[in-house]
Amino acid sequence: MVWLHGGGFQTGWGHQRFFDGAALARKGVVVVTINYRLGVFGFFAHSLLSAESPNQVSGNYGLLDQIKALQWVKTNIDVFGGNPNCVTIFGQSAGAYSVNLLSASPLAVGLFHRAIAQSPPGGLTMGTPLAAAEDQGRKLAAALIADRTTDTLTALRALDAETLLKTALGSESLKARISGVDDGFNFGPTTDDYVIAKNCQTVNVPTILGVNSEEGAYWASLEELQPILAEVDGYERFVRWQYRDKAKAILALYPANAREDVREAFIDFFGDSVFVLGVRAIAQDRCDKGAKTYVYCFSRRPPSDEIDGAYHGCEIPYVFDNLDQKTSTGVEKRDQEIADRISQQWVHFARTGD
């Protein structure tokens, strides 16, 4: 079982405490957790980089890292007691989006045999078109290099990592972005017809997909969103910022008529639009192509967590059977029963595809 961590392709790491694979390994599998390049280091595209590439592409380096890890597993995992012909990729959030992208990558064919996507965003979207990603890369280069007569790639390669990262991130102010002021860059996967093929036949392997019942509760808890979600007007501005011409119809489906309605309306709207809709689309696509497909909804609210609800990512310590690593107190017997059951089901699925 190969774990791909989340973090919006911008943050995260493979050795977070909840990703400790020991408990799953005790159930009879070999667990591999990996790191991959993120943000500007993992997904920066530029036409000059594409021109010097033998495949005429750039970006997607983070996905190539994941594919390289799977190639390593195929070559070496038998030494660790693993079966290279029975590999399951599983991940959460951006890691789950990666699972879906790898299912549409010609470079990943034959490298895995089951797939588990926990709360994947993006649906059937295969990433930003390469031309648009290259255009964003040119804008970042222009922000970094004042002298247009210089060799752009040489100048970029001479920059230190901190300068590159700070400029790429910009102010990172969500409030500024909602107001239409965005000086940052958001680098992520691209459809390049090499790593990710636009019309690739999806790898039809047994698949589990799912969501948590209150995905949006995580975002509703963010300090930066509190001023926005404190009033009906702020919530409505957020919806308009995200969905523009569709905002009126969405607000009719997820209305907040008073301040006390805002949090629940936001959680329902955000969870459905970012996660539920996409999971349904992927599941339908998998079924239409004949893949054995399972869909779940995780609704257990972890006791004594600061975030109220079955929020984005709260299922991870249950999946890894790592509730004993939670820093908060109050894990109940029922929680351990759920962790035992889910972790065992994930292992059984990895072994059998059922």
Side-chain angles (χ1 to χ4, degrees), residues 264-340:
E264 185 176 351
F266 172 84
I267 289 172
D268 289 345
F269 144 72
F270 197 89
D272 285 356
S273 62
V274 177
F275 299 101
V276 176
L277 190 65
V279 163
R280 287 169 61 92
I282 298 165
Q284 188 64 60
D285 181 67
R286 295 287 193 274
C287 287
D288 289 346
K289 291 173 178 172
K292 190 184 293 185
T293 307
Y294 303 90
V295 175
Y296 71 84
C297 178
F298 183 88
S299 58
R300 177 66 174 178
R301 297 183 173 198
S304 73
D305 269 4
E306 293 180 4
I307 303 174
D308 182 25
Y311 58 87
H312 187 65
C314 76
E315 86 289 357
I316 293 173
Y318 293 85
V319 164
F320 278 87
D321 194 8
N322 281 337
L323 288 176
D324 60 329
Q325 298 200 34
K326 288 180 71 65
T327 55
S328 58
T329 58
V331 174
E332 300 172 7
K333 180 182 177 184
R334 176 64 178 147
D335 292 286
Q336 188 55 56
E337 291 172 351
I338 294 171
D340 290 340

Side-chain angles (χ1 to χ4, degrees), residues 48-129:
L48 293 176
L49 286 173
S50 298
E52 73 174 19
S53 161
N55 302 299
Q56 298 297 292
V57 298
S58 57
N60 281 340
Y61 306 112
L63 295 178
L64 287 168
D65 290 343
Q66 296 174 5
I67 291 167
K68 179 61 72 174
L70 290 173
Q71 291 170 342
W72 184 93
V73 165
K74 186 176 183 67
T75 303
N76 297 290
I77 206 64
D78 58 337
V79 179
F80 297 86
N83 181 356
N85 298 310
C86 187
V87 175
T88 298
I89 56 173
F90 68 131
Q92 184 266 345
S93 197
Y97 191 11
S98 297
V99 167
N100 294 333
L101 290 172
L102 292 175
S103 297
S105 174
L107 302 183
V109 173
L111 297 179
F112 63 93
H113 312 88
R114 332 251 191 256
I116 303 174
Q118 300 168 204
S119 303
L124 293 170
T125 305
M126 292 289 103
T128 304

